[in-house]
Amino acid sequence: MSTTLLHSAYFQSLLLFSITLILVVLPFVSSTTSITKQETDEVALKAFKSKIIHDPQGVLNSWNDSHHFCEWEGITCGLRHRRVTVLDLHSRGLYGFLSPYIGNLSFLRNLTLQNNSFQGEIPREFGHLFRLEVLSLYNNSLIREIPGNLSHCSRLTYLRLSYNKLEGKIPLQFVYLSNLKTLDLFENNLTGGIPSFLGNLTSLEVLVLAYNPLLGGNIPDSLGRLRKLSVLLLNLNNLSEINFFFLDKNYFPGKLSVDFGGMQHLQRLDVGQNNLGSGEIDEMNFINSLVNCSELQGLGIAINHFKGTLPRSIANISTTIEKLIIGWNQLYGSIPPGIANLVNLSRLGMNDNQFSGPIPEEVGKLRNLKAMGLWGNQLSGKIPSSLGNVSLLLTLELDNNRLSGVIPSSLGNLKKLTLLDLSKNDLNGIIPEQIFELTDLSLSLNLSQNHLVGSIPRTIGNLRVLSGFFDVSDNNLFGEIPNEIGFCSSLEYLYMKGNFLIGSIPSSMSSLRGIREIDFSRNNLSGQIPKSWRLLLWKI
Ligand SMILES: *[C@@H]1O[C@H](CO)[C@@H](O)[C@H](O)[C@H]1NC(C)=O
Ligand SMILES: *[C@@H]1O[C@H](CO)[C@@H](O)[C@H](O)[C@H]1NC(C)=O
Ligand SMILES: *[C@@H]1O[C@H](CO)[C@@H](O)[C@H](O)[C@H]1NC(C)=O
Ligand SMILES: *[C@@H]1O[C@H](CO)[C@@H](O)[C@H](O)[C@H]1NC(C)=O
Ligand SMILES: *[C@@H]1O[C@H](CO)[C@@H](O)[C@H](O)[C@H]1NC(C)=O
Ligand SMILES: *[C@@H]1O[C@H](CO)[C@@H](O)[C@H](O)[C@H]1NC(C)=O
Ligand SMILES: *[C@@H]1O[C@H](CO)[C@@H](O)[C@H](O)[C@H]1NC(C)=O
Ligand SMILES: *[C@@H]1O[C@H](CO)[C@@H](O)[C@H](O)[C@H]1NC(C)=O
Ligand SMILES: *[C@@H]1O[C@H](CO)[C@@H](O)[C@H](O)[C@H]1NC(C)=O
Ligand SMILES: *[C@@H]1O[C@H](CO)[C@@H](O)[C@H](O)[C@H]1NC(C)=O
Ligand SMILES: *[C@@H]1O[C@H](CO)[C@@H](O)[C@H](O)[C@H]1NC(C)=O
Ligand SMILES: *[C@H]1O[C@@H](CO)[C@H](O)[C@@H](O)[C@@H]1NC(C)=O
């Protein structure tokens, strides 16, 4: 048709006229080819739709012939060429398979299908999408291997395949994805280790390989070359929420010898719950290299086999740090007083190590601290009274140590405290009255297995919101149980065994409606339990 027009134009043979015609004809020719390309897009989108088995929100109803496909829901086209540039149908509850025809959407820059229920494999035809910059398929049910063909999408900057069931290795061909900024493979079933070639992807800012329980291998030193990294998560637990689970597999055993010194923008580093640790004397030296990371917010190395002292350089890491979680390792030596430099800390978890010596008085400077867990160490000396200045504390756990002396009355300043555990230490003296003014204590007050003396004050009745534990077992407490205990009506577990308590069980205890267990054994108490109770445990 276009040639016929051109032909007739020649017969008119006027120069000016033919120039005009060329101007008319050229767009016509190019729009003919673009119609076929547009058809390819339409065919591809219809093929995509045909593989959707369930569309609970009916989003694909708009994908019909009454409108051009550029008007279909979730589709964005280029204004000029009317080719698909964005396909975004995330969080639509779509159940089905990914059509390989998507690979024909050759203008596609952004394919966003996360948070649906796509099944089956990622079609390797996606590798034809050479303009693709964003591929987001996380939170689906995709299986088998990640196609190495994706490496042909050389403009890819953002690749998120997390929360799927992908298996096999991280494809070797990914070494060519030199523009990649985000690689997120969180929670899959990948194997074959962390390939050292990831160190070649120097544009990377976010690298998340966590929750791949069979990945194995070591953490390659080459990752130290990723100078733009801001997030590196290789953990099997959650830095934010240690709702952790233990597995007896080998993950990334051995020494962590990555040099983080070049990563100026590192914000979160979490290698928790692996089998890291070599037993080598300098194995904690990676901490030294973290002093350059001036934007660091979270450091998690918990649940590993790190052995050694905590380098003094911990005091020199960035004051931007908010979470320092190093529990469940075999760290020993004293707690560096310089840790108090880290004034932005909100969570400090150093539990289940072998730290010894005193809790530095300086910790009172950590005014932003909300959770402090030092339990399960060999800490000795007094509980610093400066802790009373850490007034935002919600949980304070110093149990299972060798702390001695009296409980500082300043702890009564911690008005927000919901949990206080000082059990299994060598504390003596009376329980300061101020402890019973902590009216927000709702989870637990545990002072058991110390050498505390005195009687239980009437102010125990202030602990009205305490719904978990009240435990003063195995101390040297004497006197009667005050009637005011009846005000602690939400209490579930009440343990006072192994003291010198006398008298009868207060009748007010019948108002403890939620009570599940009571242990008053090894005292000199008498009395009856209210008939209305259905206790799991009752010992007197
Ligand atoms: C076709 O799509 C349009 C919106 O693009 C919608 O209004 C119409 O209801 C759809 N037709 C059918 C039969 O679903
Ligand atoms: C995931 O999709 C569901 C609907 O299927 C929606 O309720 C939820 O908010 C989405 N989650 C995210 C993180 O987008
Ligand atoms: C990709 O498209 C989605 C949906 O339009 C959008 O939210 C997202 O920002 C896009 N990503 C980029 C990098 O353009
Ligand atoms: C995954 O998607 C489901 C809905 O399909 C949603 O309930 C869930 O919160 C999502 N999970 C994540 C991690 O986004
Ligand atoms: C993708 O992989 C297949 C087989 O592995 C190969 O034949 C094809 O040429 C590859 N090409 C592209 C662009 O994805
Ligand atoms: C992960 O892979 C292993 C071995 O291939 C398999 O036994 C296991 O069921 C897989 N787990 C999931 C969650 O897909
Ligand atoms: C990866 O980086 C190493 C070290 O710089 C280099 O020797 C190797 O050639 C790079 N590999 C690729 C495929 O670029
Ligand atoms: C990790 O904890 C954060 C903060 O509580 C939460 O938003 C996130 O969903 C958690 N991730 C997992 C995998 O549990
Ligand atoms: C910190 O950065 C400086 C300058 O970039 C560098 O010379 C130094 O070696 C780095 N320190 C560490 C511990 O990596
Ligand atoms: C920590 O910083 C102080 C100065 O603020 C410096 O004197 C000390 O040498 C540094 N320590 C380490 C281990 O970098
Ligand atoms: C503490 O954190 C806040 C918010 O991230 C930041 O603005 C502030 O500069 C930090 N303070 C210090 C001393 O680093
Ligand atoms: C592009 O997609 C493949 C499947 O991956 C089809 O086999 C091709 O026919 C299709 N090509 C066109 C022009 O639609």
Side-chain angles (χ1 to χ4, degrees):
M1 195 166 128
S2 60
T3 33
T4 324
L5 265 179
L6 198 60
H7 207 68
S8 58
Y10 262 70
F11 279 103
Q12 313 275 328
S13 82
L14 264 171
L15 187 62
L16 188 68
F17 194 61
S18 70
I19 287 174
T20 314
L21 255 180
I22 286 166
L23 287 175
V24 171
V25 164
L26 278 180
F28 192 80
V29 170
S30 77
S31 84
T32 311
T33 53
S34 113
I35 279 171
T36 40
K37 294 293 187 184
Q38 282 188 27
E39 277 166 1
T40 304
D41 278 13
E42 184 166 356
V43 167
L45 292 175
K46 286 182 170 166
F48 173 82
K49 181 177 174 176
S50 74
K51 293 277 188 186
I52 305 294
I53 296 164
H54 188 49
D55 172 16
Q57 300 173 17
V59 281
L60 297 177
N61 291 345
S62 74
W63 288 35
N64 63 49
D65 288 331
S66 73
H67 289 78
H68 189 269
F69 62 79
C70 290
E71 315 297 321
W72 294 353
E73 192 165 346
I75 301 297
T76 305
C77 290
L79 286 178
R80 198 170 46 83
H81 48 64
R82 306 288 280 166
R83 304 286 311 279
V84 178
T85 54
V86 180
L87 170 49
D88 173 15
L89 288 174
H90 75 273
S91 307
R92 305 304 181 101
L94 298 174
Y95 178 92
F97 296 83
L98 292 171
S99 168
Y101 277 69
I102 293 295
N104 292 347
L105 296 171
S106 53
F107 275 67
L108 198 64
R109 284 189 280 108
N110 183 334
L111 179 55
T112 295
L113 297 173
Q114 76 264 16
N115 199 18
N116 283 294
S117 298
F118 283 101
Q119 314 287 309
E121 300 180 44
I122 301 172
R124 58 170 181 249
E125 288 78 2
F126 283 16
H128 297 297
L129 299 169
F130 67 96
R131 288 191 173 90
L132 199 66
E133 292 163 23
V134 175
L135 178 57
S136 182
L137 301 175
Y138 69 89
N139 199 14
N140 280 288
S141 298
L142 299 168
I143 58 167
R144 305 271 167 74
E145 299 198 353
I146 301 170
N149 263 359
L150 289 181
S151 66
H152 296 288
C153 309
S154 59
R155 297 188 192 169
L156 211 55
T157 59
Y158 185 92
L159 178 58
R160 287 191 72 183
L161 305 176
S162 46
Y163 299 103
N164 278 293
K165 297 171 182 164
L166 297 165
E167 293 179 356
K169 295 182 182 178
I170 298 170
L172 198 59
Q173 298 93 314
F174 275 19
V175 73
Y176 299 114
L177 290 175
S178 57
N179 292 308
L180 209 55
K181 292 182 177 168
T182 295
L183 177 59
D184 175 11
L185 304 175
F186 189 93
E187 199 167 302
N188 277 290
N189 207 1
L190 300 173
T191 50
I194 302 176
S196 65
F197 73 73
L198 289 183
N200 289 39
L201 303 184
T202 50
S203 299
L204 273 180
E205 293 169 9
V206 175
L207 176 57
V208 181
L209 305 176
Y211 282 86
N212 278 282
L214 305 177
L215 192 54
N218 294 316
I219 297 179
D221 293 354
S222 64
L223 298 190
R225 288 160 51 201
L226 303 177
R227 302 172 77 94
K228 292 185 178 159
L229 220 48
S230 76
V231 175
L232 177 59
L233 304 183
L234 306 175
N235 54 307
L236 262 179
N237 65 5
N238 195 334
L239 184 59
S240 318
E241 295 302 318
I242 300 198
N243 46 353
F244 57 86
F245 48 94
F246 291 94
L247 298 164
D248 58 353
K249 296 276 196 296
N250 271 24
Y251 304 111
F252 312 126
K255 193 169 179 178
L256 180 62
S257 44
V258 177
D259 179 359
F260 299 99
M263 300 183 195
Q264 307 278 350
H265 303 295
L266 193 64
Q267 293 181 359
R268 285 184 65 191
L269 169 64
D270 195 347
V271 295
Q273 201 171 334
N274 287 297
N275 270 342
L276 288 166
S278 61
E280 288 173 50
I281 194 86
D282 63 346
E283 74 171 355
M284 293 306 291
N285 281 3
F286 69 91
I287 298 277
N288 300 341
S289 75
L290 285 168
V291 302
N292 265 1
C293 306
S294 57
E295 297 171 21
L296 198 63
Q297 288 172 12
L299 170 61
I301 64 166
I303 318 178
N304 279 294
H305 300 302
F306 287 114
K307 202 180 269 185
T309 57
L310 189 60
R312 292 296 176 266
S313 60
I314 194 77
N316 293 35
I317 64 176
S318 173
T319 54
T320 51
I321 193 161
E322 291 170 14
K323 291 174 183 161
L324 179 60
I325 313 288
I326 64 177
W328 293 282
N329 280 293
Q330 292 150 45
L331 301 173
Y332 54 79
S334 57
I335 299 178
I339 207 162
N341 291 353
L342 310 179
V343 290
N344 250 354
L345 272 184
S346 76
R347 280 182 75 118
L348 176 61
M350 305 179 72
N351 56 285
D352 277 290
N353 279 290
Q354 287 140 34
F355 288 114
S356 57
I359 301 173
E361 188 73 33
E362 288 85 347
V363 293
K365 293 181 190 159
L366 297 173
R367 299 290 168 87
N368 290 304
L369 209 55
K370 294 194 174 127
M372 182 177 201
L374 301 182
W375 78 88
N377 283 291
Q378 292 155 24
L379 297 168
S380 57
K382 292 183 176 173
I383 297 175
S385 60
S386 64
L387 269 179
N389 296 333
V390 190
S391 58
L392 299 179
L393 267 183
L394 297 172
T395 63
L396 177 59
E397 295 163 280
L398 306 179
D399 50 296
N400 278 285
N401 278 294
R402 296 172 186 165
L403 299 168
S404 56
V406 299
I407 299 175
S409 58
S410 64
L411 295 190
N413 297 337
L414 305 176
K415 295 294 182 206
K416 292 181 189 283
L417 218 53
T418 61
L419 186 156
L420 176 61
D421 196 340
L422 306 178
S423 64
K424 298 184 186 161
N425 278 294
D426 291 320
L427 300 170
N428 54 44
I430 60 162
I431 305 173
E433 285 269 345
Q434 289 85 346
I435 296 297
F436 297 97
E437 286 160 20
L438 296 172
T439 50
D440 276 3
L441 274 181
S442 55
L443 299 175
S444 175
L445 175 58
N446 194 346
L447 307 175
S448 65
Q449 298 190 52
N450 281 292
H451 313 292
L452 301 169
V453 296
S455 56
I456 297 167
R458 294 186 181 284
T459 45
I460 189 174
N462 292 340
L463 304 180
R464 290 176 197 216
V465 296
L466 189 59
S467 60
F469 290 80
F470 179 82
D471 191 351
V472 290
S473 304
D474 299 308
N475 279 292
N476 301 320
L477 301 174
F478 46 77
E480 301 193 2
I481 299 176
N483 215 29
E484 284 76 3
I485 187 117
F487 289 121
C488 310
S489 56
S490 311
L491 211 55
E492 292 183 30
Y493 301 91
L494 176 56
Y495 304 122
M496 299 189 174
K497 70 182 159 72
N499 283 289
F500 301 101
L501 301 171
I502 54 168
S504 55
I505 312 275
S507 57
S508 66
M509 280 184 61
S510 57
S511 42
L512 306 187
R513 307 210 181 276
I515 197 82
R516 297 164 68 84
E517 295 191 7
I518 290 181
D519 194 342
F520 286 167
S521 59
R522 292 188 284 115
N523 283 290
N524 291 310
L525 293 162
S526 61
Q528 303 255 315
I529 63 159
K531 289 201 173 61
S532 58
W533 285 353
R534 290 190 190 166
L535 291 175
L536 298 175
L537 173 80
W538 165 244
K539 279 194 199 165
I540 179 167

